[in-house]
């Protein structure tokens, strides 16, 4: 009997085990003042965050469902968590580095906060060959999500921000935390000071820049999470021109670039002039199965300057040295092995495997008929399915209840995600096939 | 011939290789506007940071000295970087975890952002037994310095801050970055909005709280970096009472607690009532030689509340989930092994080794006669030496020039560090002995 036991592979985030959903906002908070209270004011920015972070919310729904249907064989295509083993050449490199730390010859203490030079060089050669990105422009980190926060700390509260709508929630949440966002407006589902660049099937998954207000910062993710769409060269040229004309900085998230299977640019730095207007964040998480191992990087080009001419890179270097102490040396050894010829080849096979999953998911939804539209999956491990006229939370709930498959409601990524669900292609093949069967049965 | 080749073991921070010392402040900045400049304003807080971060500054001096004396056998007792191998039981646990990641059974993706429960439990049992600290109050991280920044992000710009003077520079620098510090005043060497709690040999290394202004946050480090002094139970009681009376939150840095050899408290939570007024940050770096491996933790007690009664822990949990994605699973496996019976015993021997170094350093300076006074070293891996009437940078330079030993000028830790140098006890024994000989020769 096929049993898709993924439970132990997935985190059960804090919201489930630690606090009730209602503790975040002051309006929900009971204001119980038992015991000593300090006189320290709660950070007003924290107070502006909306209830739970999306993924813990999903987990809460999962948990409720599991309690209701304890014998259901849940298939989790929600949180985009990798499931396939890391090629041995990479884990061996980590093990070897760890072992060396127990020897007099092999022991090393602090590394450079910016990362080991060999790894920075390998990243430059692997991902930016012929693009003129230098190794000293690459800052190795413990992951893209952490880098988003560090970039927010760098920029401070006095900048304006635009995000794609829908988008990965960490851009907005970190923006709220540092005080760029303003108040949340229930009626629109948006923060007042954030510019939401709407995009979707009706505008070729690229925002209409002619009607987009100027902001200091533009968060842009391609291949996109959640839509799975990779921006074309022409679109990215427009974006770079727009940023240049407006004096904006693009923070380009390329965490899924290794999933690109066509001619779409893999880096913003493929676009001429981008080094004067863009920072790129990226990650080993989805490319190398390093979601729990933790490794990423950020490129801050020397040519990128503030309005007073001061190089952004110098301030970012200072942030990295003050607020971070470098990624783990053990993990960096693994990262270096990822970028060896053999390591990279082995990882490409894993990426192909997930791509195969994505294809099955795309085909499944496409075969269902109904009125739904299927996007993504070709250049990213996410499939973005539109159910015209339906609420995304309703679709999420229906699929969960009737097929025991966890997806993510598009609305969780912003107002622009309404009518959609995101389906992750990470998973064992047999689970993906079983999910396919269940969906076909449900809607046949 | 004894050759203390430590070079390859120590990082050469960015300042040396990447940018000149002068790039940080706008006053030093040439304002060269060649090429495109964005219209994004430089974060005014970043502009307030003083020139280089202390340790890169030290490295710059080192480099200059090495260029001047290329054949000198440099001994680095400056940056407090561990030098002794990690016990094999710990590195094996990391290697084993890494290997498991290459198997279908052993692969794991994302872990909980707050850390693996087994490790949180082991930290609670090892460091907080009988102190009532619960595992869900412990947030595992990639190190104390990173946690300081995350705590600053949590608190925001609208709180007032006190630091010990002298103190570890990251408290002040992170405070400047989030906008709590105000302007730097050249004449006093202090930021206008930060309260500097002076302490030293004349007040038993504990600030006079009767003359200390109330602040929201009090950074307090014990055993102290740089002075090597561990606060007594009586002193910490005073501190907790002071915080309680003022409605303040203490951020207590106990990164060196395993070096305590007497009855001094190892945690602020040994003091009754501390759970209502304190957060504790700590680290595996100096205890387990994890400076490059990266692991730490922060305790945020459930009982700690903002002025409106809202639990600080809930907001910190949100910060950890939004701005961090958990410490590396490979490293956490190592952390768990550190806290096993055998691992802990092996680590105690390494700590004893560094304690032996500290003793040699204390004895060396004490034997020199002169007018100098020697502090610390008994409960911490740092020796704090006072040269009454001398500038700490002058002493630093004299020792570097005449003995090729790198120390840290006390002034680098704040105005209260003038007349002192900090000498690190991390190092191979033969280097410590050689340093001792050179110092004795110099001042004989």
């Amino acid at each position: 009997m096929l049993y898709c036991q993924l439970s132990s592979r997935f985190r059960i985030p804090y919201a489930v085990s630690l606090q009730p959903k209602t503790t975040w906002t002051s309006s929900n908070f009971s204001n119980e003042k038992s015991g000593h209270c300090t006189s320290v004011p709660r950070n007003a920015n924290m107070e502006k965050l909306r209830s739970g972070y999306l993924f813990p919310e999903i987990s809460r729904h999962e948990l409720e469902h599991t309690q209701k249907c304890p014998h259901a064989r849940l298939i989790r295509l929600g949180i985009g968590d990798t499931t396939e083993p890391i090629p041995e050449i990479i884990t061996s490199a980590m093990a070897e580095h760890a072992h060396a730390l127990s020897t007099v010859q092999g022991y090393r203490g602090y590394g450079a906060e910016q990362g080991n030079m060999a790894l920075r060089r390998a990243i430059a050669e692997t991902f930016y060959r012929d693009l003129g990105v230098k190794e000293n422009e690459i800052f190795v980190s413990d992951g893209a999500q952490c880098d988003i926060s560090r970039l927010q700390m760098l920029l401070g509260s006095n900048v304006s921000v635009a995000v794609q709508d829908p988008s990965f929630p960490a851009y907005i949440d970190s923006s709220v935390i540092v005080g760029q966002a303003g108040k949340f407006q229930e009626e629109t589902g948006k923060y007042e000071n954030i510019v939401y660049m709407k995009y979707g099937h009706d505008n070729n998954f690229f925002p209409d820049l002619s009607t987009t207000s100027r902001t200091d910062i533009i968060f842009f993710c391609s291949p996109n999470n959640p839509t799975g769409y990779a921006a074309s060269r022409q679109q990215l040229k427009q974006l770079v021109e727009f940023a240049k004309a407006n004096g904006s900085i693009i923070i380009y998230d390329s965490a899924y670039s290794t999933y690109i299977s066509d001619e779409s640019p893999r880096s913003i730095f493929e676009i001429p002039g981008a080094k004067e207007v863009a920072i790129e964040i990226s990650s080993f998480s989805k490319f190398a199965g390093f979601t729990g191992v933790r490794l990423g990087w950020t490129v801050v080009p020397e040519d990128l300057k503030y309005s007073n001419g001061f190089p952004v890179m110098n301030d970012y270097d200072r942030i990295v040295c003050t607020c971070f102490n470098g990624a783990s040396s053990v993990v960096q050894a693994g990262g270096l092995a990822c970028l060896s010829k053999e390591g990279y080849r082995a990882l490409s096979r894993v990426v192909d495997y997930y791509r195969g999953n994505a294809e099955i998911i795309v085909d499944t939804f496409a075969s269902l008929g109904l009125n739904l539209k299927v996007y993504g999956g070709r250049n990213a491990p996410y499939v973005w399915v539109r159910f015209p006229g339906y609420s995304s939370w309703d679709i999420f709930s229906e699929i969960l209840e009737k097929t025991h498959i966890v997806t993510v409601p598009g609305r969780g990524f912003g107002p622009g995600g309404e009518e959609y669900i995101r389906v992750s292609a990470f998973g064992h093949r047999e689970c993906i096939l079983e999910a396919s069967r269940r969906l076909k049965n449900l809607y046949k």
Side-chain angles (χ1 to χ4, degrees), chain A:
Chain A
M1 196 180 94
L2 182 73
Y3 187 85
C4 291
Q5 184 164 26
L6 297 175
S7 320
S8 66
R9 297 177 178 275
F10 280 80
R11 55 179 168 183
I12 302 291
Y14 69 95
V16 178
S17 54
L18 278 188
Q19 24 264 350
K21 182 195 173 192
T22 46
T23 51
W24 303 122
T25 59
S26 55
S27 56
N28 290 328
F29 170 57
S30 68
N31 216 35
E32 187 195 328
K33 283 204 180 190
S34 66
H36 173 79
C37 289
T38 67
S39 310
V40 178
R42 185 182 178 201
N43 183 343
N45 296 328
M46 294 300 298
E47 212 148 331
K48 286 179 190 141
L49 280 171
R50 294 203 64 215
S51 58
Y53 184 68
L54 176 63
F55 295 111
E57 277 291 292
I58 304 287
S59 300
R60 203 174 55 81
H61 281 273
E62 252 182 62
L63 192 73
E64 278 172 17
H65 182 72
T66 315
Q67 284 163 349
K68 214 166 68 185
C69 312
H71 301 297
R73 297 168 308 164
L74 212 62
I75 301 178
R76 290 184 178 84
L77 307 180
I79 296 169
D81 195 6
T82 47
T83 56
E84 301 311 300
I86 299 171
E88 212 192 323
I89 183 175
I90 296 160
T91 58
S92 292
M94 288 194 272
E96 206 174 296
H97 185 92
H99 279 309
L101 291 174
S102 68
T103 67
V104 174
Q105 297 74 28
Y107 183 76
R108 295 286 180 280
Y110 285 118
E113 291 90 341
Q114 303 86 351
N116 296 337
M117 203 41 99
L119 179 57
R120 299 168 83 184
R121 198 172 297 134
I123 291 171
E125 281 168 13
T126 307
F127 299 105
Y128 304 104
R129 190 179 298 182
D130 304 326
L131 301 183
V133 171
K134 284 173 279 200
E135 55 211 30
N136 70 336
E137 296 173 313
I138 292 167
F139 296 82
V140 175
S141 76
D142 58 337
Q145 184 161 337
C146 313
D147 278 347
I148 292 167
S149 282
R150 281 186 280 265
L151 287 168
Q152 294 285 22
M153 228 168 163
L154 169 85
L155 296 164
S157 59
N158 205 23
V159 296
S160 53
V161 164
V163 297
Q164 290 164 287
D165 177 25
S167 72
F168 178 51
Y171 309 136
I172 290 182
D173 283 2
S174 62
S175 174
V176 175
I177 290 171
V178 295
Q180 301 158 347
K183 278 190 197 144
F184 183 75
Q185 298 168 312
E186 290 293 343
E187 60 279 18
T188 59
K190 299 177 179 178
Y191 285 92
E192 60 180 347
N193 297 340
I194 290 181
V195 170
Y196 291 72
M197 305 185 295
K198 196 168 175 192
Y199 69 106
H201 63 282
D202 49 352
N203 55 3
N204 207 12
F205 286 94
F206 190 74
D208 180 357
L209 297 177
S210 71
T211 61
T212 300
S213 308
R214 189 240 163 228
T215 55
D216 291 314
I217 307 300
I218 302 167
F219 280 101
F220 197 93
C221 178
S222 178
N224 189 263
N225 177 8
T227 69
Y229 180 82
S232 70
R233 195 169 304 272
Q234 195 46 42
Q235 289 174 334
L236 292 181
K237 269 186 187 164
Q238 271 183 52
L239 182 69
V240 166
E241 277 162 26
F242 179 76
K244 194 148 190 176
N246 284 309
S248 307
I249 293 177
I250 301 162
I251 298 182
Y252 189 82
D253 186 343
S254 68
Y256 298 94
S257 68
T258 48
Y259 285 84
I260 292 176
S261 61
D262 62 15
E263 290 308 303
S264 309
R266 283 157 175 69
S267 162
I268 190 69
F269 300 119
E270 292 188 32
I271 309 302
K275 291 180 80 189
E276 294 178 335
V277 300
I279 287 168
E280 182 162 305
I281 51 181
S282 204
S283 172
F284 284 78
S285 288
K286 310 302 166 90
F287 149 60
F290 270 28
T291 44
V293 173
R294 312 303 310 142
L295 195 66
W297 72 90
T298 287
V299 181
V300 186
E302 279 175 359
D303 293 347
L304 184 68
K305 290 170 192 157
Y306 291 117
S307 56
N308 67 352
F310 191 84
V312 176
M313 182 193 184
N314 292 23
D315 272 354
Y316 192 63
D317 195 286
R318 186 72 190 262
I319 288 281
V320 164
C321 290
T322 308
C323 306
F324 184 55
N325 238 324
S328 172
S329 61
V330 182
V331 174
Q332 290 191 68
L336 201 54
C338 291
L339 305 182
S340 67
K341 221 177 222 174
E342 198 184 326
Y344 197 85
R345 208 180 300 128
L347 287 176
S348 300
R349 284 193 289 271
V350 181
V351 166
D352 281 344
Y353 179 92
Y354 291 132
R355 271 208 202 103
N357 285 349
E359 213 170 303
I360 293 168
I361 296 168
V362 166
D363 290 349
T364 300
F365 281 101
S367 75
L368 298 183
L370 307 171
N371 201 15
L372 52 79
K373 307 281 177 204
V374 191
Y375 305 99
R378 202 162 80 104
N379 288 325
Y382 297 123
V383 181
W384 186 237
V385 190
R386 181 166 174 243
F387 294 73
Y390 287 88
S391 136
S392 66
W393 275 104
D394 286 351
I395 309 159
F396 165 83
S397 297
E398 177 172 307
I399 291 178
L400 179 59
E401 272 164 38
K402 298 196 175 152
T403 69
H404 314 302
I405 298 171
V406 183
T407 60
V408 184
R411 189 64 179 75
F413 299 101
E418 198 53 285
E419 300 192 346
Y420 288 91
I421 56 163
R422 187 193 81 174
V423 186
S424 160
F426 294 114
H428 297 317
R429 181 62 52 85
E430 64 269 25
C431 296
I432 302 293
L433 290 170
E434 168 67 10
S436 172
R437 273 189 289 274
R438 292 186 196 173
L439 286 163
K440 285 178 176 168
N441 274 335
L442 174 67
Y443 293 110
K444 77 181 171 192

